[in-house]
Amino acid sequence: MTPQAAYDELIRRVREQATLGACIALLEWDELTYMPPGGVAGRAQQLAYLAGLEHGKATDPRLGELLAVVEGSPLLHEPTSAEAVNVREIRRSYMRLARLPRTLVEEVARVAPVSQHHWAMARQEGDFELWRPWLEKMVALKRQEAQCLSANDPYDALLDDYEPGARSDDIARLFAALRQELTPLLAAIAQSRKKPRLAILRRHYSLEQQRSFGMEVAAALGFDFQRGRLDTAVHPFSSRIGPGDCRITTRYSPNQFSDSFFAILHEVGHALYEQGLDPAADGTPMGEPPSLGMHEAQSRLWENLVGRSLPFWKHFFPRARQVFPEALGEVSLNAFYLAINHVAPSLNRVQSDEVTYNLHILIRFELEKDLLSGDLPVADLPAAWNRLYQKYLGLTPGNDADGCLQDGHWSEGMFGYFPTYTLGNLFAAQLFDRVRAEIGNLAEQFHQGDFRGLLTWLRRQIYLQGSRYRAGKLIEIATGKPPDHGPLVRMLREKYGELYGI
Ligand code: ZN
């Protein structure tokens, strides 16, 4: 068999896997949006069946044979060619799965829903003990998984699933530097006399108007409704069924403007990335983002750096006032802008602001590293959680429901996922900093409601690159600098210094 023939068969096979993956994504989207409650059991069966098929394809020894033929051949001579990148990534995911014993994979799949169930119960009751034995089991399983994957740091082995190539030591350094800068900024904001009128965001905002305004803004940013749609779900998410079908969701509440609106912008950011990937490379690594952190960078960029900026609202606020005359009729642009950018330490990650958000992540990053290494016994998690909240944010949760039970990630075994959120914020700031320098009048363009300059730049520099480079490298190529906390800190200081008069 020639290397070319082996490569062609490899591509055909990963595209089949991607097709199966798209079917799974569609069933999952349906489950979270329109499926009637009676569909639960049948859907679980359909998904388990497809997951089995997908796993079989992904671990087929034939992939190993084909990789052996093509690797080392002149076809892969240029390391950043589509061929070389695809083979590199196919090898990576093949080896990852091949290293995991089937019994372990099945045990994790069996424990995860039970652990999740007990987590939800524990959260509702505010009783960590209900979940503790399951979390202990999950930590033990994940430690085993890490040992199978790599002889190196167990945390890095798991992190690699979400952020290929990243190392926790580098992330820890980056995060420590970030924290050092955020702490005084937060203290200065707390001292400021300027207090936003948050009540203006909790007036009556009709659900139908929220939906149509959200769609109008999404379209203006570049979300293509011919290749996507917006629906409602309990937890907002975005889902890619294919290059012509990227779906986003949000949730509406009649007395809360910002929750649904910024969730839409966040998911639009994810979807612009998916809609902007190279359709010709669909179903292969060259048609996929390189990491979760890079994906999150796009959602954060559009949600925060665009959607919470003054030029953006200079354009959209008059329209918002027209759409919501009762709520916003006598509200000034400045009062609105301050309200949507309110900063305050809180106990809750999901509801936190741009400045404190990363501190919530740093706490989780430290704790999950210690859980995996064994330095932190699961039984001590609540106390350790509360200690760090006091240290980083000056607050102590009154109960575990507001403390270590607030996120479901660990219950499902997602260790190494949290840092991708903050990496996303750092990458987003670096990209935005760069694009601002390259397009001199970006703020003016936003003010005019024109986001094409930004989108075109991101498409060229990031979206169309697929998985050609690891995320850190892609940032370096696009911005001229490796991952760095500087631009985020500068932007936060600039924006909140002005907003809070500090
Ligand atoms: Zn996101």
Side-chain angles (χ1 to χ4, degrees):
M1 184 175 227
T2 65
Q4 184 65 54
Y7 178 77
D8 291 344
E9 187 179 335
L10 265 180
I11 294 301
R12 186 175 58 69
R13 283 170 173 267
V14 292
R15 284 205 152 120
E16 274 176 22
Q17 283 179 44
T19 301
L20 262 178
C23 297
I24 291 171
L26 182 56
L27 287 177
E28 286 172 341
W29 171 85
D30 175 71
E31 183 180 345
L32 297 170
T33 49
Y34 292 102
M35 188 184 78
V40 171
R43 185 54 43 90
Q45 219 166 16
Q46 295 150 14
L47 284 171
Y49 176 69
L50 291 180
L53 280 185
E54 196 187 34
H55 186 78
K57 282 191 180 294
T59 52
D60 190 334
R62 177 73 181 155
L63 289 177
E65 293 164 23
L66 295 166
L67 284 166
V69 174
V70 78
E71 281 167 345
S73 77
L75 191 63
L76 311 185
H77 180 67
E78 172 52 54
T80 55
S81 68
E83 288 83 359
V85 169
N86 286 335
V87 168
R88 180 193 79 205
E89 292 303 312
I90 294 168
R91 164 62 78 187
R92 185 181 158 274
S93 61
Y94 178 68
M95 289 311 290
R96 227 187 135 74
L97 290 172
R99 286 194 181 112
L100 296 177
R102 206 189 172 96
T103 47
L104 179 60
V105 175
E106 283 169 359
E107 183 66 357
V108 172
R110 195 186 66 77
V111 168
V114 191
S115 162
Q116 249 181 311
H117 174 75
H118 283 83
W119 163 74
M121 222 157 56
R123 187 183 181 191
Q124 200 169 16
E125 305 280 320
D127 183 359
F128 178 71
E129 278 304 303
L130 293 174
W131 180 40
R132 184 185 50 78
W134 293 98
L135 180 58
E136 278 168 353
K137 212 173 182 67
M138 192 48 104
V139 169
L141 285 170
K142 283 285 151 173
R143 208 178 284 151
Q144 238 178 299
E145 189 179 309
Q147 275 160 6
C148 296
L149 289 171
S150 148
N152 300 328
D153 184 80
Y155 188 82
D156 281 0
L158 301 181
L159 172 69
D160 195 71
D161 201 15
Y162 308 111
E163 203 60 32
R167 293 190 34 244
S168 58
D169 282 353
D170 298 334
I171 292 181
R173 255 194 306 277
L174 206 53
F175 284 10
L178 179 63
R179 186 180 151 230
Q180 217 167 17
E181 307 277 359
L182 290 181
T183 308
L185 176 62
L186 188 58
I189 292 173
Q191 299 284 311
S192 163
R193 290 217 185 141
K194 243 174 148 175
K195 300 287 176 233
R197 284 164 60 207
L198 295 175
I200 59 180
L201 302 174
R202 301 202 190 107
R203 293 174 176 170
H204 180 75
Y205 292 86
S206 107
L207 300 191
E208 194 35 54
Q209 301 287 51
Q210 283 193 55
R211 199 179 78 89
S212 68
F213 183 63
M215 286 179 71
E216 184 181 326
V217 175
L221 294 180
F223 181 80
D224 180 356
F225 279 94
Q226 289 302 310
R227 297 189 296 138
R229 44 181 297 133
L230 169 66
D231 295 275
T232 310
V234 179
H235 299 288
F237 67 97
S238 69
S239 178
R240 178 177 203 259
I241 317 296
D245 188 355
C246 300
R247 307 180 182 199
I248 59 173
T249 64
T250 190
R251 57 179 164 207
Y252 302 101
S253 143
N255 300 310
Q256 226 330 328
F257 171 77
S258 22
D259 273 10
S260 78
F261 183 77
F262 289 106
I264 291 175
L265 293 197
H266 183 96
E267 303 309 335
V268 161
H270 281 302
L272 289 175
Y273 195 176
E274 297 285 358
Q275 289 184 335
L277 292 165
D278 181 3
D282 183 49
T284 72
M286 271 304 288
E288 285 160 10
S291 78
L292 280 190
M294 190 58 78
H295 223 309
E296 196 63 8
Q298 309 314 313
S299 58
R300 303 275 162 165
L301 190 152
W302 289 97
E303 176 195 353
N304 291 332
L305 305 181
V306 177
R308 289 182 204 269
S309 75
L310 192 55
F312 175 94
W313 285 107
K314 276 186 180 160
H315 178 75
F316 281 113
F317 190 65
R319 178 75 186 128
R321 264 216 300 225
Q322 254 174 22
V323 178
F324 308 106
E326 281 168 43
L328 296 174
E330 40 72 56
V331 173
S332 71
L333 170 61
N334 282 339
F336 179 80
Y337 177 58
L338 183 60
I340 58 164
N341 284 297
H342 167 57
V343 171
S346 71
L347 293 169
N348 190 287
R349 172 183 70 88
V350 181
Q351 288 162 5
S352 66
D353 52 79
E354 272 184 288
V355 179
T356 56
Y357 188 89
N358 296 303
L359 297 171
H360 291 266
I361 297 303
L362 270 48
I363 290 171
R364 287 154 179 77
F365 172 63
E366 277 187 39
L367 292 173
E368 65 180 10
K369 270 195 311 180
D370 290 348
L371 282 172
L372 273 175
S373 70
D375 288 349
L376 175 64
V378 168
D380 296 345
L381 174 64
W385 180 286
N386 294 352
R387 234 185 352 263
L388 283 181
Y389 262 82
Q390 187 58 48
K391 186 173 156 196
Y392 286 15
L393 288 152
L395 300 168
T396 302
N399 58 65
D400 291 337
D402 295 330
C404 67
L405 292 171
Q406 66 181 267
D407 293 306
H409 300 58
W410 293 335
S411 75
E412 292 175 61
M414 286 157 65
F415 290 88
Y417 189 107
F418 279 121
T420 67
Y421 292 120
T422 286
L423 286 177
N425 283 327
L426 296 172
F427 294 167
Q430 282 185 270
L431 292 172
F432 199 71
D433 196 41
R434 181 70 201 183
V435 73
R436 265 198 319 194
E438 282 188 29
I439 305 176
N441 64 342
L442 200 64
E444 184 50 34
Q445 292 184 10
F446 289 2
H447 188 170
Q448 299 303 323
D450 183 355
F451 303 92
R452 288 170 301 182
L454 172 62
L455 185 57
T456 306
W457 190 90
L458 287 169
R459 272 209 180 121
R460 193 178 57 236
Q461 299 290 342
I462 306 293
Y463 306 170
L464 289 172
Q465 299 300 324
S467 289
R468 191 187 306 275
Y469 306 102
R470 293 275 186 252
K473 186 74 188 165
L474 183 55
I475 286 295
E476 191 173 343
I477 291 171
T479 70
K481 278 221 164 142
D484 176 25
H485 68 291
L488 178 62
V489 169
R490 269 202 310 281
M491 269 181 215
L492 292 175
R493 269 207 207 113
E494 192 182 306
K495 172 173 172 181
Y496 291 95
E498 208 170 299
L499 254 173
Y500 280 91
I502 48 176

